[in-house]
Amino acid sequence: LSSIFLFYDKEECKNGMDDDVPYYSFISGWLAANVNIIVTFPINKVLFRQQIHGINSLTAFRQIRYEGLVMLPRGMLPPLLQKATSTAIMFSSYEKFYRIYSNHVFSRSSSSVRRFSAGASAGLVECVFIPFERVQTLLVNDNHHSRFSNSFQIVNELWTKGGMIEFYRGFNAIIYRNFFATGLWFLCRQPLQEALPHSGAKLTNIASDFLSGAVLGAILSTLFYPLAVAKMHIMSKVSGSPFNSVSQALHEVYMQRGRSFKNIYWGTRINFLRSLLAWGIVNASYEFLMKTVFQCSNHKI
């Protein structure tokens, strides 16, 4: 990160030197994600409990309140390491893929095809961080509180009892989610941002960027919510358990929750609210950093 700041030149970015934009995009995405994680972590913890146990938000909140403030930050380290970096890579690799596809693979295709393809490709690159999601899922699952006291214990058990493959349990659900959700997010992001009012006033632009990111993130996270439930169900299992496909995981959840499709969607309301806040923060912070701090007006939205 220090090397990026050391060689950072606002004029190069402002004047359209595309090769430098992904570096500034990485920094902006990393900082935006950290702000989002710190603000929304308590909401995420309630949501995780709902997805794992199939309980309502009030019950999940009472569980977390009963555990006390000392246990509240438990599970925050993996997303700070994983989500911040993966979000940074998502934005920077999107910028890079968009330029590659524009100049080579999809040079004759519409910008919509290039945006979706670049977004889907960036989503696939994010999959390298699956081990962090695996560790976080086990940390926030209260069934494992007595078994694991920290991330290092989980890493040690997964490695010694299952090997590298255990860290990628849930890979199938994540690859589907990342490919389609990230592709659609970047596909729709530009038209939505352009439809909202922007002016010379910074507050107006920040509000528009927040709203576009919030609405799009909330809709897509709700659309792909069953994949999130399947991922949590698969990843919450310890070493030695059978590896399930997405369909098998959803069937198990369906059976455990009283043979009700409706109960698979437990947590969608708080997930919708969490996504509104999270993606609004990420998008507004990212755009502010790119346009105001780094003055990269030529980045691909």
Side-chain angles (χ1 to χ4, degrees), residues 90 116 119-120 122-123 126 177-187:
M90 178 190 77
F116 177 83
E126 284 186 87
R177 178 200 67 184
N178 284 13
F179 182 87
F180 292 105
T182 311
L184 289 172
W185 196 77
F186 281 108
L187 170 66

Side-chain angles (χ1 to χ4, degrees), residues 229-230 233 248-258 263-264:
V229 173
H233 182 77
Q248 288 172 331
L250 287 174
H251 182 261
E252 286 185 8
V253 173
Y254 170 76
M255 298 298 290
Q256 290 172 3
R257 299 184 183 181
N263 290 346
I264 292 176

Side-chain angles (χ1 to χ4, degrees), residues 227-242:
L227 279 177
V229 173
K231 182 210 75 171
M232 292 296 292
H233 182 77
I234 295 169
M235 285 189 159
S236 64
K237 295 183 178 181
V238 293
S239 303
S241 303

Side-chain angles (χ1 to χ4, degrees), residues 29-30 33-34 36-37 44 77-90 126 129 132-133 136 177-178 274 279 282:
W30 187 82
N34 273 286
N36 164 51
I37 291 163
N44 270 323
L77 180 60
L80 282 174
L81 294 173
Q82 175 261 332
K83 191 61 181 175
T85 307
S86 68
T87 302
I89 287 177
M90 178 190 77
E126 284 186 87
F129 294 96
F132 290 97
E133 287 197 54
Q136 184 193 11
R177 178 200 67 184
N178 284 13
R274 190 267 310 172
W279 282 106
V282 167

Side-chain angles (χ1 to χ4, degrees), residues 5-239:
F5 281 118
L6 183 63
F7 295 105
Y8 165 58
D9 187 333
K10 285 184 179 180
E11 288 304 313
E12 287 185 359
C13 191
K14 191 174 182 179
N15 293 334
M17 294 187 69
D18 287 354
D19 289 342
D20 293 325
V21 172
Y23 296 103
Y24 311 138
S25 183
F26 181 93
I27 269 266
S28 299
W30 187 82
L31 291 172
N34 273 286
V35 173
N36 164 51
I37 291 163
I38 293 168
V39 171
T40 63
F41 186 75
I43 303 174
N44 270 323
K45 199 156 190 176
V46 172
L47 180 60
F48 285 148
R49 293 290 175 87
Q50 290 189 270
Q51 291 174 338
I52 292 171
H53 301 305
I55 55 180
N56 60 45
S57 56
L58 183 59
T59 303
F61 173 76
R62 285 173 176 168
Q63 283 184 0
I64 294 170
R65 186 179 64 177
Y66 177 77
E67 292 165 8
L69 288 174
V70 175
M71 295 295 288
L72 183 61
R74 179 185 170 97
M76 184 181 286
L77 180 60
L80 282 174
L81 294 173
Q82 175 261 332
K83 191 61 181 175
T85 307
S86 68
T87 302
I89 287 177
M90 178 190 77
F91 280 112
S92 59
S93 57
Y94 169 78
E95 295 277 354
K96 199 70 176 177
F97 279 123
Y98 188 91
R99 285 159 174 74
I100 292 171
Y101 294 156
S102 297
N103 295 329
H104 303 287
V105 185
F106 299 115
S107 58
R108 296 184 180 181
S109 302
S110 67
S111 61
S112 298
V113 172
R114 293 195 293 270
R115 288 199 307 273
F116 177 83
S117 301
S121 300
L124 293 179
V125 172
E126 284 186 87
C127 290
V128 299
F129 294 96
I130 289 174
F132 290 97
E133 287 197 54
R134 172 81 162 120
V135 172
Q136 184 193 11
T137 302
L138 292 173
L139 269 178
V140 299
N141 189 341
D142 57 312
N143 289 335
H144 303 311
H145 280 184
S146 59
R147 183 171 183 172
F148 305 117
S149 59
N150 56 58
S151 302
F152 302 104
Q153 284 187 351
I154 294 174
V155 170
N156 182 62
E157 177 163 325
L158 293 179
W159 179 256
T160 55
K161 292 188 176 181
M164 183 60 71
I165 193 172
E166 272 295 341
F167 289 94
Y168 286 88
R169 186 186 287 264
F171 177 84
N172 45 0
I174 292 176
I175 202 168
Y176 294 145
R177 178 200 67 184
N178 284 13
F179 182 87
F180 292 105
T182 311
L184 289 172
W185 196 77
F186 281 108
L187 170 66
C188 302
R189 182 168 170 254
Q190 179 178 343
L192 188 55
Q193 286 189 209
E194 290 176 349
L196 292 171
H198 283 76
S199 66
K202 288 183 179 179
L203 284 179
T204 302
N205 295 337
I206 291 172
S208 295
D209 291 332
F210 180 92
L211 185 59
S212 61
V215 171
L216 192 53
I219 291 172
L220 289 175
S221 66
T222 303
L223 179 63
F224 292 101
Y225 189 75
L227 279 177
V229 173
K231 182 210 75 171
M232 292 296 292
H233 182 77
I234 295 169
M235 285 189 159
S236 64
K237 295 183 178 181
V238 293
S239 303

